[in-house]
CSV table of all heavy atoms in Angstrom, one decimal:
chain,number,residue,atom,x,y,z
A,1,HIS,N,47.8,29.5,24.8
A,1,HIS,CA,46.7,29.9,25.7
A,1,HIS,C,46.5,31.5,25.4
A,1,HIS,O,47.4,32.2,25.8
A,1,HIS,CB,47.0,29.7,27.1
A,1,HIS,CG,45.9,30.0,28.1
A,1,HIS,ND1,46.0,29.8,29.5
A,1,HIS,CD2,44.7,30.6,27.9
A,1,HIS,CE1,44.9,30.3,30.1
A,1,HIS,NE2,44.1,30.7,29.2
A,2,THR,N,45.4,31.9,24.8
A,2,THR,CA,45.2,33.3,24.5
A,2,THR,C,44.0,33.8,25.4
A,2,THR,O,43.0,33.1,25.5
A,2,THR,CB,44.7,33.4,23.0
A,2,THR,OG1,45.7,32.9,22.2
A,2,THR,CG2,44.6,34.9,22.7
A,3,THR,N,44.3,34.9,26.1
A,3,THR,CA,43.3,35.5,27.0
A,3,THR,C,42.9,36.9,26.4
A,3,THR,O,43.8,37.7,26.2
A,3,THR,CB,43.8,35.6,28.4
A,3,THR,OG1,44.2,34.3,28.9
A,3,THR,CG2,42.7,36.2,29.3
A,4,TYR,N,41.7,37.0,26.0
A,4,TYR,CA,41.2,38.3,25.4
A,4,TYR,C,40.8,39.3,26.5
A,4,TYR,O,40.4,38.8,27.6
A,4,TYR,CB,40.1,38.0,24.4
A,4,TYR,CG,40.6,37.3,23.2
A,4,TYR,CD1,40.5,35.9,23.2
A,4,TYR,CD2,41.2,37.9,22.1
A,4,TYR,CE1,41.0,35.1,22.1
A,4,TYR,CE2,41.7,37.1,21.0
A,4,TYR,CZ,41.6,35.7,21.1
A,4,TYR,OH,42.0,35.0,20.0
A,5,SER,N,40.8,40.5,26.2
A,5,SER,CA,40.4,41.6,27.2
A,5,SER,C,39.0,41.4,27.7
A,5,SER,O,38.7,41.8,28.8
A,5,SER,CB,40.6,43.0,26.6
A,5,SER,OG,39.9,43.1,25.4
A,6,ASP,N,38.1,40.8,26.9
A,6,ASP,CA,36.7,40.6,27.3
A,6,ASP,C,36.5,39.3,28.2
A,6,ASP,O,35.5,39.0,28.6
A,6,ASP,CB,35.8,40.5,26.1
A,6,ASP,CG,36.0,39.2,25.3
A,6,ASP,OD1,36.9,38.4,25.5
A,6,ASP,OD2,35.3,39.1,24.2
A,7,GLY,N,37.7,38.6,28.5
A,7,GLY,CA,37.6,37.5,29.4
A,7,GLY,C,37.6,36.1,28.7
A,7,GLY,O,37.8,35.1,29.3
A,8,LEU,N,37.4,36.1,27.4
A,8,LEU,CA,37.4,34.8,26.6
A,8,LEU,C,38.8,34.2,26.7
A,8,LEU,O,39.8,35.0,26.4
A,8,LEU,CB,37.0,35.1,25.2
A,8,LEU,CG,37.1,33.9,24.2
A,8,LEU,CD1,36.2,32.7,24.6
A,8,LEU,CD2,36.9,34.3,22.7
A,9,GLU,N,38.9,33.0,26.9
A,9,GLU,CA,40.2,32.3,26.9
A,9,GLU,C,40.1,31.2,25.9
A,9,GLU,O,39.1,30.4,25.8
A,9,GLU,CB,40.5,31.7,28.2
A,9,GLU,CG,40.8,32.7,29.3
A,9,GLU,CD,41.2,32.1,30.6
A,9,GLU,OE1,42.1,31.2,30.6
A,9,GLU,OE2,40.6,32.4,31.7
A,10,VAL,N,41.1,31.1,25.0
A,10,VAL,CA,41.2,30.0,23.9
A,10,VAL,C,42.5,29.3,24.1
A,10,VAL,O,43.6,29.8,24.1
A,10,VAL,CB,41.1,30.7,22.5
A,10,VAL,CG1,41.2,29.6,21.5
A,10,VAL,CG2,39.8,31.5,22.4
A,11,LEU,N,42.4,27.9,24.2
A,11,LEU,CA,43.5,27.1,24.3
A,11,LEU,C,43.6,26.2,23.1
A,11,LEU,O,42.6,25.6,22.7
A,11,LEU,CB,43.4,26.1,25.5
A,11,LEU,CG,43.5,26.8,26.9
A,11,LEU,CD1,42.1,26.9,27.5
A,11,LEU,CD2,44.5,26.1,27.8
A,12,GLN,N,44.8,26.2,22.4
A,12,GLN,CA,45.0,25.5,21.2
A,12,GLN,C,46.1,24.5,21.5
A,12,GLN,O,47.2,24.8,21.8
A,12,GLN,CB,45.4,26.4,20.1
A,12,GLN,CG,44.3,27.3,19.7
A,12,GLN,CD,44.8,28.3,18.7
A,12,GLN,OE1,45.5,29.3,19.0
A,12,GLN,NE2,44.3,28.2,17.4
A,13,PHE,N,45.8,23.2,21.4
A,13,PHE,CA,46.7,22.1,21.7
A,13,PHE,C,47.4,21.6,20.5
A,13,PHE,O,46.9,21.7,19.4
A,13,PHE,CB,46.0,20.9,22.5
A,13,PHE,CG,45.3,21.4,23.8
A,13,PHE,CD1,44.0,21.8,23.8
A,13,PHE,CD2,46.1,21.4,24.9
A,13,PHE,CE1,43.5,22.3,25.0
A,13,PHE,CE2,45.5,21.8,26.2
A,13,PHE,CZ,44.2,22.2,26.2
A,14,SER,N,48.5,20.9,20.7
A,14,SER,CA,49.3,20.4,19.6
A,14,SER,C,48.6,19.4,18.7
A,14,SER,O,48.8,19.2,17.5
A,14,SER,CB,50.7,19.9,20.0
A,14,SER,OG,50.5,18.8,20.9
A,15,ASN,N,47.6,18.6,19.4
A,15,ASN,CA,46.9,17.6,18.6
A,15,ASN,C,45.7,18.2,17.8
A,15,ASN,O,44.9,17.4,17.2
A,15,ASN,CB,46.4,16.6,19.6
A,15,ASN,CG,45.3,17.1,20.5
A,15,ASN,OD1,44.9,18.3,20.5
A,15,ASN,ND2,44.7,16.2,21.3
A,16,GLY,N,45.5,19.5,17.8
A,16,GLY,CA,44.5,20.2,17.0
A,16,GLY,C,43.2,20.5,17.9
A,16,GLY,O,42.3,21.1,17.4
A,17,GLN,N,43.2,20.0,19.1
A,17,GLN,CA,42.0,20.3,20.0
A,17,GLN,C,42.1,21.8,20.3
A,17,GLN,O,43.1,22.4,20.6
A,17,GLN,CB,42.1,19.5,21.3
A,17,GLN,CG,41.0,19.8,22.2
A,17,GLN,CD,40.9,18.8,23.3
A,17,GLN,OE1,41.1,17.6,23.2
A,17,GLN,NE2,40.7,19.3,24.6
A,18,ILE,N,40.9,22.4,20.3
A,18,ILE,CA,40.7,23.9,20.7
A,18,ILE,C,39.7,24.0,21.7
A,18,ILE,O,38.6,23.4,21.6
A,18,ILE,CB,40.3,24.7,19.5
A,18,ILE,CG1,41.5,24.6,18.4
A,18,ILE,CG2,40.1,26.1,19.9
A,18,ILE,CD1,41.0,25.2,17.1
A,19,GLU,N,40.0,24.7,22.8
A,19,GLU,CA,39.0,24.9,23.9
A,19,GLU,C,38.8,26.4,24.0
A,19,GLU,O,39.7,27.2,24.0
A,19,GLU,CB,39.5,24.4,25.2
A,19,GLU,CG,39.6,22.9,25.3
A,19,GLU,CD,39.9,22.3,26.7
A,19,GLU,OE1,39.9,23.1,27.7
A,19,GLU,OE2,40.3,21.2,26.8
A,20,LYS,N,37.5,26.8,24.1
A,20,LYS,CA,37.1,28.1,24.4
A,20,LYS,C,36.4,28.2,25.7
A,20,LYS,O,35.4,27.5,26.0
A,20,LYS,CB,36.2,28.7,23.3
A,20,LYS,CG,36.8,28.8,21.9
A,20,LYS,CD,35.8,29.3,20.9
A,20,LYS,CE,36.5,29.4,19.5
A,20,LYS,NZ,35.6,29.8,18.5
A,21,HIS,N,37.0,29.0,26.6
A,21,HIS,CA,36.4,29.2,27.9
A,21,HIS,C,35.8,30.6,28.0
A,21,HIS,O,36.5,31.6,28.0
A,21,HIS,CB,37.4,29.0,29.1
A,21,HIS,CG,38.0,27.6,29.1
A,21,HIS,ND1,38.4,27.0,30.2
A,21,HIS,CD2,38.3,26.7,28.1
A,21,HIS,CE1,38.9,25.8,30.0
A,21,HIS,NE2,38.9,25.6,28.7
A,22,TYR,N,34.5,30.7,28.1
A,22,TYR,CA,33.8,32.0,28.0
A,22,TYR,C,33.7,32.6,29.4
A,22,TYR,O,33.7,31.9,30.4
A,22,TYR,CB,32.4,31.8,27.4
A,22,TYR,CG,32.5,31.5,25.9
A,22,TYR,CD1,32.5,30.1,25.6
A,22,TYR,CD2,32.5,32.4,24.9
A,22,TYR,CE1,32.6,29.8,24.2
A,22,TYR,CE2,32.6,32.1,23.6
A,22,TYR,CZ,32.6,30.8,23.3
A,22,TYR,OH,32.7,30.4,21.9
A,23,PRO,N,33.6,33.9,29.5
A,23,PRO,CA,33.6,34.6,30.8
A,23,PRO,C,32.4,34.1,31.7
A,23,PRO,O,32.5,34.1,32.9
A,23,PRO,CB,33.4,36.1,30.4
A,23,PRO,CG,33.9,36.2,29.1
A,23,PRO,CD,33.7,34.9,28.4
A,24,ASP,N,31.3,33.7,31.0
A,24,ASP,CA,30.1,33.3,31.8
A,24,ASP,C,30.2,31.9,32.3
A,24,ASP,O,29.3,31.3,32.9
A,24,ASP,CB,28.8,33.4,30.9
A,24,ASP,CG,28.8,32.5,29.7
A,24,ASP,OD1,29.7,31.7,29.5
A,24,ASP,OD2,27.8,32.5,29.0
A,25,GLY,N,31.3,31.2,32.0
A,25,GLY,CA,31.6,29.8,32.5
A,25,GLY,C,31.3,28.7,31.4
A,25,GLY,O,31.7,27.6,31.7
A,26,LYS,N,30.7,29.0,30.3
A,26,LYS,CA,30.4,28.0,29.3
A,26,LYS,C,31.8,27.7,28.7
A,26,LYS,O,32.7,28.5,28.6
A,26,LYS,CB,29.5,28.7,28.2
A,26,LYS,CG,29.3,27.7,27.1
A,26,LYS,CD,28.5,28.4,25.9
A,26,LYS,CE,28.6,27.4,24.7
A,26,LYS,NZ,28.5,28.1,23.4
A,27,LYS,N,31.9,26.4,28.3
A,27,LYS,CA,33.1,25.9,27.5
A,27,LYS,C,32.7,25.2,26.3
A,27,LYS,O,31.7,24.6,26.2
A,27,LYS,CB,33.9,24.9,28.4
A,27,LYS,CG,34.5,25.6,29.6
A,27,LYS,CD,35.2,24.5,30.5
A,27,LYS,CE,35.7,25.2,31.8
A,27,LYS,NZ,36.3,24.2,32.7
A,28,GLU,N,33.5,25.5,25.2
A,28,GLU,CA,33.3,24.8,23.9
A,28,GLU,C,34.6,24.1,23.5
A,28,GLU,O,35.7,24.8,23.5
A,28,GLU,CB,32.9,25.9,22.9
A,28,GLU,CG,32.7,25.3,21.5
A,28,GLU,CD,32.5,26.4,20.5
A,28,GLU,OE1,31.4,27.0,20.5
A,28,GLU,OE2,33.4,26.6,19.6
A,29,ILE,N,34.5,22.9,23.3
A,29,ILE,CA,35.8,22.1,23.0
A,29,ILE,C,35.6,21.6,21.5
A,29,ILE,O,34.6,20.9,21.3
A,29,ILE,CB,36.0,20.9,23.9
A,29,ILE,CG1,36.1,21.5,25.4
A,29,ILE,CG2,37.2,20.1,23.6
A,29,ILE,CD1,35.9,20.4,26.4
A,30,THR,N,36.5,21.8,20.6
A,30,THR,CA,36.5,21.3,19.3
A,30,THR,C,37.6,20.2,19.3
A,30,THR,O,38.8,20.6,19.5
A,30,THR,CB,36.7,22.4,18.2
A,30,THR,OG1,35.7,23.4,18.4
A,30,THR,CG2,36.6,21.8,16.8
A,31,PHE,N,37.3,19.0,19.1
A,31,PHE,CA,38.2,17.9,19.1
A,31,PHE,C,38.9,17.7,17.7
A,31,PHE,O,38.4,18.3,16.7
A,31,PHE,CB,37.6,16.6,19.5
A,31,PHE,CG,37.1,16.6,20.9
A,31,PHE,CD1,35.8,16.9,21.2
A,31,PHE,CD2,37.9,16.3,22.0
A,31,PHE,CE1,35.3,17.0,22.6
A,31,PHE,CE2,37.5,16.4,23.3
A,31,PHE,CZ,36.2,16.7,23.6
A,32,PRO,N,40.0,17.1,17.7
A,32,PRO,CA,40.7,16.9,16.4
A,32,PRO,C,39.8,16.4,15.2
A,32,PRO,O,40.0,16.7,14.1
A,32,PRO,CB,41.9,16.0,16.7
A,32,PRO,CG,42.2,16.2,18.1
A,32,PRO,CD,40.8,16.5,18.8
A,33,ASP,N,38.8,15.5,15.6
A,33,ASP,CA,37.9,14.9,14.6
A,33,ASP,C,36.8,15.8,14.2
A,33,ASP,O,35.9,15.5,13.5
A,33,ASP,CB,37.4,13.5,15.0
A,33,ASP,CG,36.4,13.7,16.2
A,33,ASP,OD1,36.1,14.8,16.7
A,33,ASP,OD2,35.8,12.6,16.5
A,34,GLN,N,36.8,17.1,14.8
A,34,GLN,CA,35.8,18.2,14.5
A,34,GLN,C,34.6,18.0,15.3
A,34,GLN,O,33.6,18.7,15.1
A,34,GLN,CB,35.6,18.4,13.1
A,34,GLN,CG,36.8,18.8,12.3
A,34,GLN,CD,37.5,20.0,12.9
A,34,GLN,OE1,37.0,21.0,13.1
A,34,GLN,NE2,38.8,19.8,13.3
A,35,THR,N,34.5,17.0,16.3
A,35,THR,CA,33.4,16.9,17.2
A,35,THR,C,33.4,18.2,18.1
A,35,THR,O,34.5,18.6,18.5
A,35,THR,CB,33.5,15.7,18.1
A,35,THR,OG1,33.4,14.5,17.2
A,35,THR,CG2,32.4,15.7,19.1
A,36,ILE,N,32.3,18.8,18.3
A,36,ILE,CA,32.2,20.0,19.1
A,36,ILE,C,31.4,19.6,20.4
A,36,ILE,O,30.3,19.1,20.3
A,36,ILE,CB,31.6,21.2,18.4
A,36,ILE,CG1,32.4,21.5,17.2
A,36,ILE,CG2,31.4,22.4,19.3
A,36,ILE,CD1,31.7,22.5,16.2
A,37,LYS,N,32.0,19.9,21.5
A,37,LYS,CA,31.3,19.7,22.8
A,37,LYS,C,31.1,21.0,23.5
A,37,LYS,O,32.1,21.7,23.7
A,37,LYS,CB,32.1,18.7,23.7
A,37,LYS,CG,31.4,18.3,24.9
A,37,LYS,CD,32.2,17.2,25.6
A,37,LYS,CE,31.3,16.4,26.6
A,37,LYS,NZ,31.9,15.2,27.1
A,38,ASN,N,29.9,21.3,23.9
A,38,ASN,CA,29.6,22.5,24.7
A,38,ASN,C,29.2,22.0,26.1
A,38,ASN,O,28.4,21.1,26.3
A,38,ASN,CB,28.4,23.2,24.1
A,38,ASN,CG,28.7,23.8,22.8
A,38,ASN,OD1,29.6,24.7,22.7
A,38,ASN,ND2,28.0,23.4,21.7
A,39,LEU,N,29.9,22.7,27.1
A,39,LEU,CA,29.6,22.4,28.5
A,39,LEU,C,29.0,23.7,29.1
A,39,LEU,O,29.6,24.8,29.1
A,39,LEU,CB,30.9,22.1,29.3
A,39,LEU,CG,31.7,20.9,28.7
A,39,LEU,CD1,33.1,20.8,29.4
A,39,LEU,CD2,30.9,19.6,28.9
A,40,PHE,N,27.7,23.6,29.5
A,40,PHE,CA,27.0,24.8,29.9
A,40,PHE,C,27.1,25.0,31.5
A,40,PHE,O,27.4,24.0,32.2
A,40,PHE,CB,25.5,24.7,29.5
A,40,PHE,CG,25.4,24.6,28.0
A,40,PHE,CD1,25.2,23.4,27.4
A,40,PHE,CD2,25.4,25.8,27.2
A,40,PHE,CE1,25.0,23.3,26.0
A,40,PHE,CE2,25.3,25.7,25.9
A,40,PHE,CZ,25.1,24.5,25.2
A,41,THR,N,26.9,26.2,31.9
A,41,THR,CA,27.1,26.5,33.3
A,41,THR,C,26.1,25.8,34.2
A,41,THR,O,26.4,25.5,35.4
A,41,THR,CB,27.0,28.0,33.6
A,41,THR,OG1,25.8,28.4,33.0
A,41,THR,CG2,28.2,28.7,32.9
A,42,ASP,N,24.9,25.4,33.7
A,42,ASP,CA,23.9,24.7,34.5
A,42,ASP,C,24.2,23.2,34.5
A,42,ASP,O,23.3,22.4,35.0
A,42,ASP,CB,22.5,25.0,33.9
A,42,ASP,CG,22.3,24.5,32.5
A,42,ASP,OD1,23.2,23.9,31.9
A,42,ASP,OD2,21.2,24.7,31.9
A,43,GLY,N,25.3,22.7,34.0
A,43,GLY,CA,25.6,21.3,34.0
A,43,GLY,C,25.2,20.5,32.8
A,43,GLY,O,25.5,19.3,32.7
A,44,GLN,N,24.5,21.1,31.9
A,44,GLN,CA,24.1,20.4,30.7
A,44,GLN,C,25.3,20.3,29.7
A,44,GLN,O,26.1,21.2,29.7
A,44,GLN,CB,22.9,21.1,30.0
A,44,GLN,CG,21.6,21.0,30.8
A,44,GLN,CD,20.5,21.6,30.1
A,44,GLN,OE1,20.0,21.2,29.1
A,44,GLN,NE2,19.9,22.7,30.6
A,45,GLU,N,25.2,19.3,28.8
A,45,GLU,CA,26.3,19.1,27.8
A,45,GLU,C,25.6,18.9,26.5
A,45,GLU,O,24.5,18.3,26.4
A,45,GLU,CB,27.2,17.9,28.1
A,45,GLU,CG,27.9,18.0,29.4
A,45,GLU,CD,28.8,16.8,29.6
A,45,GLU,OE1,28.9,15.9,28.7
A,45,GLU,OE2,29.3,16.6,30.8
A,46,GLU,N,26.3,19.3,25.4
A,46,GLU,CA,25.8,19.1,24.1
A,46,GLU,C,27.1,18.7,23.2
A,46,GLU,O,28.0,19.5,23.2
A,46,GLU,CB,25.2,20.3,23.5
A,46,GLU,CG,24.7,20.2,22.1
A,46,GLU,CD,24.2,21.5,21.5
A,46,GLU,OE1,25.0,22.4,21.3
A,46,GLU,OE2,23.0,21.6,21.3
């Protein structure tokens, strides 16, 4: 779990999943199969 001075947090899991938690509340998850999921602060997902 890496926390940068600008507030960005990055979690790297043993299965290869990577999560980025941005200071504005947005989250980006990269799954082991390289699917990328974005969770936006307004409740939308991509």
Side-chain angles (χ1 to χ4, degrees):
H1 182 178
T2 305
T3 305
Y4 295 92
S5 56
D6 66 1
L8 172 66
E9 294 183 48
V10 179
L11 293 104
Q12 296 172 285
F13 299 92
S14 60
N15 67 356
Q17 180 172 314
I18 298 171
E19 291 186 13
K20 293 180 182 177
H21 298 213
Y22 293 90
D24 66 1
K26 178 188 170 208
K27 293 180 183 173
E28 177 184 291
I29 304 164
T30 304
F31 294 96
D33 71 355
Q34 298 310 301
T35 295
I36 298 170
K37 184 173 201 169
N38 292 298
L39 304 169
F40 299 99
T41 54
D42 63 2
Q44 294 183 65
E45 296 179 14
E46 177 186 73

